[in-house]
PDB file of all heavy atoms in Angstrom:
ATOM      1  N   GLU A  58      -2.002  -2.066  -4.616  1.00  0.00           N
ATOM      2  CA  GLU A  58      -3.358  -1.923  -4.238  1.00  0.00           C
ATOM      3  C   GLU A  58      -4.230  -1.800  -5.511  1.00  0.00           C
ATOM      4  O   GLU A  58      -3.765  -1.159  -6.481  1.00  0.00           O
ATOM      5  CB  GLU A  58      -3.613  -0.779  -3.419  1.00  0.00           C
ATOM      6  CG  GLU A  58      -2.602  -0.543  -2.269  1.00  0.00           C
ATOM      7  CD  GLU A  58      -2.639   0.829  -1.651  1.00  0.00           C
ATOM      8  OE1 GLU A  58      -3.730   1.440  -1.609  1.00  0.00           O
ATOM      9  OE2 GLU A  58      -1.493   1.331  -1.381  1.00  0.00           O
ATOM     10  N   VAL A  59      -5.437  -2.338  -5.470  1.00  0.00           N
ATOM     11  CA  VAL A  59      -6.448  -2.056  -6.491  1.00  0.00           C
ATOM     12  C   VAL A  59      -7.655  -1.579  -5.757  1.00  0.00           C
ATOM     13  O   VAL A  59      -8.227  -2.301  -4.898  1.00  0.00           O
ATOM     14  CB  VAL A  59      -6.666  -3.297  -7.322  1.00  0.00           C
ATOM     15  CG1 VAL A  59      -7.684  -2.954  -8.434  1.00  0.00           C
ATOM     16  CG2 VAL A  59      -5.421  -3.851  -7.985  1.00  0.00           C
ATOM     17  N   TRP A  60      -8.218  -0.397  -6.235  1.00  0.00           N
ATOM     18  CA  TRP A  60      -9.385   0.140  -5.677  1.00  0.00           C
ATOM     19  C   TRP A  60     -10.395   0.219  -6.795  1.00  0.00           C
ATOM     20  O   TRP A  60     -10.202   0.439  -7.943  1.00  0.00           O
ATOM     21  CB  TRP A  60      -9.157   1.538  -5.123  1.00  0.00           C
ATOM     22  CG  TRP A  60      -8.150   1.469  -3.995  1.00  0.00           C
ATOM     23  CD1 TRP A  60      -6.861   1.518  -4.029  1.00  0.00           C
ATOM     24  CD2 TRP A  60      -8.518   1.163  -2.607  1.00  0.00           C
ATOM     25  NE1 TRP A  60      -6.299   1.310  -2.752  1.00  0.00           N
ATOM     26  CE2 TRP A  60      -7.320   1.142  -1.886  1.00  0.00           C
ATOM     27  CE3 TRP A  60      -9.777   1.039  -1.940  1.00  0.00           C
ATOM     28  CZ2 TRP A  60      -7.354   0.836  -0.509  1.00  0.00           C
ATOM     29  CZ3 TRP A  60      -9.705   0.863  -0.592  1.00  0.00           C
ATOM     30  CH2 TRP A  60      -8.490   0.703   0.127  1.00  0.00           C
ATOM     31  N   GLU A  61     -11.735   0.086  -6.349  1.00  0.00           N
ATOM     32  CA  GLU A  61     -12.848   0.025  -7.377  1.00  0.00           C
ATOM     33  C   GLU A  61     -12.801   1.313  -8.312  1.00  0.00           C
ATOM     34  O   GLU A  61     -13.075   1.227  -9.499  1.00  0.00           O
ATOM     35  CB  GLU A  61     -14.257   0.044  -6.693  1.00  0.00           C
ATOM     36  CG  GLU A  61     -14.483  -1.391  -6.120  1.00  0.00           C
ATOM     37  CD  GLU A  61     -15.842  -1.503  -5.504  1.00  0.00           C
ATOM     38  OE1 GLU A  61     -16.493  -0.460  -5.329  1.00  0.00           O
ATOM     39  OE2 GLU A  61     -16.160  -2.609  -5.054  1.00  0.00           O
ATOM     40  N   ASN A  62     -12.502   2.426  -7.672  1.00  0.00           N
ATOM     41  CA  ASN A  62     -12.538   3.690  -8.431  1.00  0.00           C
ATOM     42  C   ASN A  62     -11.798   4.761  -7.602  1.00  0.00           C
ATOM     43  O   ASN A  62     -11.302   4.546  -6.494  1.00  0.00           O
ATOM     44  CB  ASN A  62     -13.952   4.111  -8.746  1.00  0.00           C
ATOM     45  CG  ASN A  62     -14.780   4.183  -7.498  1.00  0.00           C
ATOM     46  OD1 ASN A  62     -14.391   4.732  -6.461  1.00  0.00           O
ATOM     47  ND2 ASN A  62     -16.017   3.608  -7.580  1.00  0.00           N
ATOM     48  N   LEU A  63     -11.617   5.913  -8.227  1.00  0.00           N
ATOM     49  CA  LEU A  63     -10.856   6.971  -7.570  1.00  0.00           C
ATOM     50  C   LEU A  63     -11.529   7.436  -6.255  1.00  0.00           C
ATOM     51  O   LEU A  63     -10.897   7.751  -5.331  1.00  0.00           O
ATOM     52  CB  LEU A  63     -10.744   8.255  -8.545  1.00  0.00           C
ATOM     53  CG  LEU A  63      -9.832   9.386  -8.011  1.00  0.00           C
ATOM     54  CD1 LEU A  63      -8.507   8.843  -7.772  1.00  0.00           C
ATOM     55  CD2 LEU A  63      -9.868  10.453  -9.128  1.00  0.00           C
ATOM     56  N   ALA A  64     -12.891   7.430  -6.251  1.00  0.00           N
ATOM     57  CA  ALA A  64     -13.554   7.871  -4.991  1.00  0.00           C
ATOM     58  C   ALA A  64     -13.242   6.891  -3.843  1.00  0.00           C
ATOM     59  O   ALA A  64     -13.101   7.326  -2.717  1.00  0.00           O
ATOM     60  CB  ALA A  64     -15.107   7.878  -5.243  1.00  0.00           C
ATOM     61  N   ALA A  65     -13.177   5.635  -4.119  1.00  0.00           N
ATOM     62  CA  ALA A  65     -12.799   4.558  -3.065  1.00  0.00           C
ATOM     63  C   ALA A  65     -11.376   4.788  -2.659  1.00  0.00           C
ATOM     64  O   ALA A  65     -11.127   4.777  -1.405  1.00  0.00           O
ATOM     65  CB  ALA A  65     -13.020   3.155  -3.673  1.00  0.00           C
ATOM     66  N   HIS A  66     -10.571   5.141  -3.513  1.00  0.00           N
ATOM     67  CA  HIS A  66      -9.096   5.423  -3.139  1.00  0.00           C
ATOM     68  C   HIS A  66      -9.063   6.674  -2.333  1.00  0.00           C
ATOM     69  O   HIS A  66      -8.374   6.711  -1.258  1.00  0.00           O
ATOM     70  CB  HIS A  66      -8.214   5.438  -4.343  1.00  0.00           C
ATOM     71  CG  HIS A  66      -6.791   5.705  -4.039  1.00  0.00           C
ATOM     72  ND1 HIS A  66      -6.150   6.826  -4.373  1.00  0.00           N
ATOM     73  CD2 HIS A  66      -5.942   4.940  -3.326  1.00  0.00           C
ATOM     74  CE1 HIS A  66      -4.862   6.738  -3.852  1.00  0.00           C
ATOM     75  NE2 HIS A  66      -4.816   5.538  -3.178  1.00  0.00           N
ATOM     76  N   LYS A  67      -9.733   7.656  -2.645  1.00  0.00           N
ATOM     77  CA  LYS A  67      -9.722   8.978  -1.856  1.00  0.00           C
ATOM     78  C   LYS A  67     -10.322   8.757  -0.428  1.00  0.00           C
ATOM     79  O   LYS A  67      -9.718   9.231   0.453  1.00  0.00           O
ATOM     80  CB  LYS A  67     -10.555  10.051  -2.556  1.00  0.00           C
ATOM     81  CG  LYS A  67      -9.773  10.626  -3.773  1.00  0.00           C
ATOM     82  CD  LYS A  67     -10.529  11.687  -4.374  1.00  0.00           C
ATOM     83  CE  LYS A  67      -9.672  12.313  -5.525  1.00  0.00           C
ATOM     84  NZ  LYS A  67     -10.416  13.443  -6.169  1.00  0.00           N
ATOM     85  N   ARG A  68     -11.365   7.913  -0.300  1.00  0.00           N
ATOM     86  CA  ARG A  68     -11.911   7.583   0.952  1.00  0.00           C
ATOM     87  C   ARG A  68     -10.818   6.956   1.872  1.00  0.00           C
ATOM     88  O   ARG A  68     -10.622   7.178   2.981  1.00  0.00           O
ATOM     89  CB  ARG A  68     -13.205   6.658   0.911  1.00  0.00           C
ATOM     90  CG  ARG A  68     -14.473   7.379   0.668  1.00  0.00           C
ATOM     91  CD  ARG A  68     -15.655   6.483   0.918  1.00  0.00           C
ATOM     92  NE  ARG A  68     -15.553   5.150   0.247  1.00  0.00           N
ATOM     93  CZ  ARG A  68     -15.877   4.948  -1.055  1.00  0.00           C
ATOM     94  NH1 ARG A  68     -16.440   5.974  -1.850  1.00  0.00           N
ATOM     95  NH2 ARG A  68     -15.804   3.732  -1.514  1.00  0.00           N
ATOM     96  N   HIS A  69     -10.163   5.945   1.215  1.00  0.00           N
ATOM     97  CA  HIS A  69      -9.100   5.210   1.869  1.00  0.00           C
ATOM     98  C   HIS A  69      -8.052   6.205   2.317  1.00  0.00           C
ATOM     99  O   HIS A  69      -7.650   6.157   3.460  1.00  0.00           O
ATOM    100  CB  HIS A  69      -8.502   4.189   0.907  1.00  0.00           C
ATOM    101  CG  HIS A  69      -7.153   3.745   1.202  1.00  0.00           C
ATOM    102  ND1 HIS A  69      -6.936   2.839   2.308  1.00  0.00           N
ATOM    103  CD2 HIS A  69      -5.927   3.980   0.716  1.00  0.00           C
ATOM    104  CE1 HIS A  69      -5.684   2.560   2.393  1.00  0.00           C
ATOM    105  NE2 HIS A  69      -5.002   3.217   1.409  1.00  0.00           N
ATOM    106  N   LEU A  70      -7.628   7.145   1.507  1.00  0.00           N
ATOM    107  CA  LEU A  70      -6.501   8.048   1.892  1.00  0.00           C
ATOM    108  C   LEU A  70      -6.916   8.950   3.059  1.00  0.00           C
ATOM    109  O   LEU A  70      -6.056   9.399   3.842  1.00  0.00           O
ATOM    110  CB  LEU A  70      -6.139   8.896   0.754  1.00  0.00           C
ATOM    111  CG  LEU A  70      -5.366   8.213  -0.363  1.00  0.00           C
ATOM    112  CD1 LEU A  70      -5.093   9.141  -1.601  1.00  0.00           C
ATOM    113  CD2 LEU A  70      -4.045   7.546   0.046  1.00  0.00           C
ATOM    114  N   ASN A  71      -8.209   9.233   3.202  1.00  0.00           N
ATOM    115  CA  ASN A  71      -8.734  10.151   4.162  1.00  0.00           C
ATOM    116  C   ASN A  71      -9.138   9.398   5.442  1.00  0.00           C
ATOM    117  O   ASN A  71      -9.703  10.026   6.366  1.00  0.00           O
ATOM    118  CB  ASN A  71      -9.856  10.954   3.721  1.00  0.00           C
ATOM    119  CG  ASN A  71      -9.393  11.982   2.640  1.00  0.00           C
ATOM    120  OD1 ASN A  71      -8.356  12.609   2.837  1.00  0.00           O
ATOM    121  ND2 ASN A  71     -10.093  12.081   1.521  1.00  0.00           N
ATOM    122  N   SER A  72      -8.915   8.065   5.465  1.00  0.00           N
ATOM    123  CA  SER A  72      -9.380   7.279   6.646  1.00  0.00           C
ATOM    124  C   SER A  72      -8.467   7.370   7.790  1.00  0.00           C
ATOM    125  O   SER A  72      -7.300   7.572   7.722  1.00  0.00           O
ATOM    126  CB  SER A  72      -9.552   5.817   6.282  1.00  0.00           C
ATOM    127  OG  SER A  72      -8.237   5.234   5.986  1.00  0.00           O
ATOM    128  N   ALA A  73      -9.047   7.169   8.987  1.00  0.00           N
ATOM    129  CA  ALA A  73      -8.256   7.085  10.262  1.00  0.00           C
ATOM    130  C   ALA A  73      -7.223   5.947  10.114  1.00  0.00           C
ATOM    131  O   ALA A  73      -6.149   5.955  10.743  1.00  0.00           O
ATOM    132  CB  ALA A  73      -9.166   6.928  11.433  1.00  0.00           C
ATOM    133  N   LEU A  74      -7.563   4.882   9.499  1.00  0.00           N
ATOM    134  CA  LEU A  74      -6.606   3.724   9.357  1.00  0.00           C
ATOM    135  C   LEU A  74      -5.418   4.100   8.548  1.00  0.00           C
ATOM    136  O   LEU A  74      -4.279   3.726   9.062  1.00  0.00           O
ATOM    137  CB  LEU A  74      -7.434   2.647   8.576  1.00  0.00           C
ATOM    138  CG  LEU A  74      -6.791   1.279   8.529  1.00  0.00           C
ATOM    139  CD1 LEU A  74      -6.454   0.710   9.959  1.00  0.00           C
ATOM    140  CD2 LEU A  74      -7.714   0.318   7.823  1.00  0.00           C
ATOM    141  N   VAL A  75      -5.411   4.904   7.601  1.00  0.00           N
ATOM    142  CA  VAL A  75      -4.274   5.375   6.821  1.00  0.00           C
ATOM    143  C   VAL A  75      -3.468   6.249   7.735  1.00  0.00           C
ATOM    144  O   VAL A  75      -2.260   6.133   7.926  1.00  0.00           O
ATOM    145  CB  VAL A  75      -4.654   6.120   5.491  1.00  0.00           C
ATOM    146  CG1 VAL A  75      -3.378   6.806   5.021  1.00  0.00           C
ATOM    147  CG2 VAL A  75      -5.159   5.097   4.463  1.00  0.00           C
ATOM    148  N   THR A  76      -4.093   7.136   8.517  1.00  0.00           N
ATOM    149  CA  THR A  76      -3.334   8.035   9.427  1.00  0.00           C
ATOM    150  C   THR A  76      -2.650   7.185  10.486  1.00  0.00           C
ATOM    151  O   THR A  76      -1.415   7.373  10.656  1.00  0.00           O
ATOM    152  CB  THR A  76      -4.412   9.026  10.137  1.00  0.00           C
ATOM    153  OG1 THR A  76      -5.021   9.711   9.125  1.00  0.00           O
ATOM    154  CG2 THR A  76      -3.628   9.888  11.060  1.00  0.00           C
ATOM    155  N   ARG A  77      -3.308   6.179  10.968  1.00  0.00           N
ATOM    156  CA  ARG A  77      -2.672   5.350  11.989  1.00  0.00           C
ATOM    157  C   ARG A  77      -1.462   4.548  11.383  1.00  0.00           C
ATOM    158  O   ARG A  77      -0.442   4.428  12.019  1.00  0.00           O
ATOM    159  CB  ARG A  77      -3.681   4.296  12.549  1.00  0.00           C
ATOM    160  CG  ARG A  77      -3.190   3.264  13.434  1.00  0.00           C
ATOM    161  CD  ARG A  77      -4.333   2.291  13.841  1.00  0.00           C
ATOM    162  NE  ARG A  77      -3.770   1.189  14.628  1.00  0.00           N
ATOM    163  CZ  ARG A  77      -3.399  -0.020  14.086  1.00  0.00           C
ATOM    164  NH1 ARG A  77      -3.475  -0.213  12.748  1.00  0.00           N
ATOM    165  NH2 ARG A  77      -2.948  -0.962  14.908  1.00  0.00           N
ATOM    166  N   SER A  78      -1.675   4.037  10.247  1.00  0.00           N
ATOM    167  CA  SER A  78      -0.563   3.328   9.564  1.00  0.00           C
ATOM    168  C   SER A  78       0.613   4.165   9.230  1.00  0.00           C
ATOM    169  O   SER A  78       1.778   3.787   9.562  1.00  0.00           O
ATOM    170  CB  SER A  78      -1.107   2.758   8.256  1.00  0.00           C
ATOM    171  OG  SER A  78      -2.161   1.895   8.426  1.00  0.00           O
ATOM    172  N   VAL A  79       0.398   5.374   8.847  1.00  0.00           N
ATOM    173  CA  VAL A  79       1.445   6.363   8.601  1.00  0.00           C
ATOM    174  C   VAL A  79       2.285   6.674   9.962  1.00  0.00           C
ATOM    175  O   VAL A  79       3.472   6.646   9.976  1.00  0.00           O
ATOM    176  CB  VAL A  79       1.009   7.634   7.925  1.00  0.00           C
ATOM    177  CG1 VAL A  79       2.088   8.773   7.849  1.00  0.00           C
ATOM    178  CG2 VAL A  79       0.612   7.357   6.494  1.00  0.00           C
ATOM    179  N   LEU A  80       1.466   6.944  10.902  1.00  0.00           N
ATOM    180  CA  LEU A  80       2.046   7.273  12.274  1.00  0.00           C
ATOM    181  C   LEU A  80       2.945   6.034  12.778  1.00  0.00           C
ATOM    182  O   LEU A  80       4.027   6.294  13.448  1.00  0.00           O
ATOM    183  CB  LEU A  80       0.988   7.589  13.286  1.00  0.00           C
ATOM    184  CG  LEU A  80       0.384   9.014  13.011  1.00  0.00           C
ATOM    185  CD1 LEU A  80      -0.787   9.181  13.937  1.00  0.00           C
ATOM    186  CD2 LEU A  80       1.298  10.174  13.050  1.00  0.00           C
ATOM    187  N   MET A  81       2.486   4.845  12.494  1.00  0.00           N
ATOM    188  CA  MET A  81       3.267   3.642  12.998  1.00  0.00           C
ATOM    189  C   MET A  81       4.561   3.556  12.225  1.00  0.00           C
ATOM    190  O   MET A  81       5.542   2.952  12.793  1.00  0.00           O
ATOM    191  CB  MET A  81       2.458   2.466  12.824  1.00  0.00           C
ATOM    192  CG  MET A  81       1.313   2.363  13.757  1.00  0.00           C
ATOM    193  SD  MET A  81       0.218   0.930  13.424  1.00  0.00           S
ATOM    194  CE  MET A  81       1.367  -0.395  13.867  1.00  0.00           C
ATOM    195  N   LEU A  82       4.720   4.052  11.071  1.00  0.00           N
ATOM    196  CA  LEU A  82       5.883   3.964  10.170  1.00  0.00           C
ATOM    197  C   LEU A  82       6.799   5.059  10.327  1.00  0.00           C
ATOM    198  O   LEU A  82       8.058   4.888   9.946  1.00  0.00           O
ATOM    199  CB  LEU A  82       5.495   3.754   8.711  1.00  0.00           C
ATOM    200  CG  LEU A  82       4.770   2.345   8.457  1.00  0.00           C
ATOM    201  CD1 LEU A  82       4.236   2.383   7.035  1.00  0.00           C
ATOM    202  CD2 LEU A  82       5.784   1.226   8.597  1.00  0.00           C
ATOM    203  N   ILE A  83       6.465   6.161  10.898  1.00  0.00           N
ATOM    204  CA  ILE A  83       7.353   7.341  11.125  1.00  0.00           C
ATOM    205  C   ILE A  83       8.569   6.893  11.935  1.00  0.00           C
ATOM    206  O   ILE A  83       8.569   6.271  12.973  1.00  0.00           O
ATOM    207  CB  ILE A  83       6.637   8.500  11.822  1.00  0.00           C
ATOM    208  CG1 ILE A  83       5.560   9.081  10.870  1.00  0.00           C
ATOM    209  CG2 ILE A  83       7.617   9.486  12.225  1.00  0.00           C
ATOM    210  CD1 ILE A  83       4.772  10.218  11.454  1.00  0.00           C
ATOM    211  N   GLY A  84       9.745   7.236  11.366  1.00  0.00           N
ATOM    212  CA  GLY A  84      11.023   6.912  12.013  1.00  0.00           C
ATOM    213  C   GLY A  84      11.560   5.504  11.752  1.00  0.00           C
ATOM    214  O   GLY A  84      12.653   5.136  12.119  1.00  0.00           O
ATOM    215  N   LYS A  85      10.665   4.712  11.037  1.00  0.00           N
ATOM    216  CA  LYS A  85      11.061   3.350  10.714  1.00  0.00           C
ATOM    217  C   LYS A  85      11.462   3.090   9.225  1.00  0.00           C
ATOM    218  O   LYS A  85      11.881   2.095   8.837  1.00  0.00           O
ATOM    219  CB  LYS A  85       9.900   2.381  11.212  1.00  0.00           C
ATOM    220  CG  LYS A  85       9.825   2.403  12.698  1.00  0.00           C
ATOM    221  CD  LYS A  85       8.581   1.576  13.154  1.00  0.00           C
ATOM    222  CE  LYS A  85       8.357   1.640  14.543  1.00  0.00           C
ATOM    223  NZ  LYS A  85       7.761   2.893  15.055  1.00  0.00           N
ATOM    224  N   VAL A  86      11.051   4.128   8.441  1.00  0.00           N
ATOM    225  CA  VAL A  86      11.307   4.019   6.959  1.00  0.00           C
ATOM    226  C   VAL A  86      12.150   5.214   6.616  1.00  0.00           C
ATOM    227  O   VAL A  86      12.107   6.288   7.230  1.00  0.00           O
ATOM    228  CB  VAL A  86       9.961   3.972   6.155  1.00  0.00           C
ATOM    229  CG1 VAL A  86       9.236   2.758   6.413  1.00  0.00           C
ATOM    230  CG2 VAL A  86       9.130   5.188   6.387  1.00  0.00           C
ATOM    231  N   ARG A  87      12.878   5.020   5.476  1.00  0.00           N
ATOM    232  CA  ARG A  87      13.739   6.068   4.953  1.00  0.00           C
ATOM    233  C   ARG A  87      12.957   7.087   4.122  1.00  0.00           C
ATOM    234  O   ARG A  87      12.364   6.566   3.148  1.00  0.00           O
ATOM    235  CB  ARG A  87      14.923   5.521   4.177  1.00  0.00           C
ATOM    236  CG  ARG A  87      15.788   4.651   5.050  1.00  0.00           C
ATOM    237  CD  ARG A  87      16.881   4.120   4.231  1.00  0.00           C
ATOM    238  NE  ARG A  87      17.802   3.267   5.060  1.00  0.00           N
ATOM    239  CZ  ARG A  87      18.457   2.277   4.617  1.00  0.00           C
ATOM    240  NH1 ARG A  87      18.543   1.996   3.405  1.00  0.00           N
ATOM    241  NH2 ARG A  87      19.124   1.605   5.554  1.00  0.00           N
ATOM    242  N   GLY A  88      13.005   8.312   4.447  1.00  0.00           N
ATOM    243  CA  GLY A  88      12.308   9.267   3.640  1.00  0.00           C
ATOM    244  C   GLY A  88      10.776   9.081   3.476  1.00  0.00           C
ATOM    245  O   GLY A  88      10.216   8.356   4.251  1.00  0.00           O
ATOM    246  N   LEU A  89      10.283   9.687   2.441  1.00  0.00           N
ATOM    247  CA  LEU A  89       8.900   9.440   2.143  1.00  0.00           C
ATOM    248  C   LEU A  89       8.713   8.261   1.174  1.00  0.00           C
ATOM    249  O   LEU A  89       9.607   8.121   0.292  1.00  0.00           O
ATOM    250  CB  LEU A  89       8.328  10.709   1.530  1.00  0.00           C
ATOM    251  CG  LEU A  89       8.279  11.974   2.325  1.00  0.00           C
ATOM    252  CD1 LEU A  89       7.893  13.205   1.582  1.00  0.00           C
ATOM    253  CD2 LEU A  89       7.393  11.784   3.574  1.00  0.00           C
ATOM    254  N   PRO A  90       7.669   7.546   1.284  1.00  0.00           N
ATOM    255  CA  PRO A  90       7.421   6.484   0.326  1.00  0.00           C
ATOM    256  C   PRO A  90       7.188   7.088  -1.120  1.00  0.00           C
ATOM    257  O   PRO A  90       6.673   8.125  -1.202  1.00  0.00           O
ATOM    258  CB  PRO A  90       6.197   5.692   0.858  1.00  0.00           C
ATOM    259  CG  PRO A  90       5.588   6.587   1.776  1.00  0.00           C
ATOM    260  CD  PRO A  90       6.621   7.614   2.189  1.00  0.00           C
TER     261      PRO A  90
END
Side-chain angles (χ1 to χ4, degrees):
E58 311 164 41
V59 180
W60 296 90
E61 286 180 355
N62 52 46
L63 188 56
H66 183 245
K67 285 183 178 182
R68 275 193 312 274
H69 163 71
L70 291 177
N71 292 316
S72 71
L74 192 53
V75 168
T76 301
R77 176 183 173 267
S78 299
V79 169
L80 290 173
M81 290 175 67
L82 291 169
I83 290 176
K85 296 175 181 74
V86 295
R87 295 182 182 153
L89 296 173

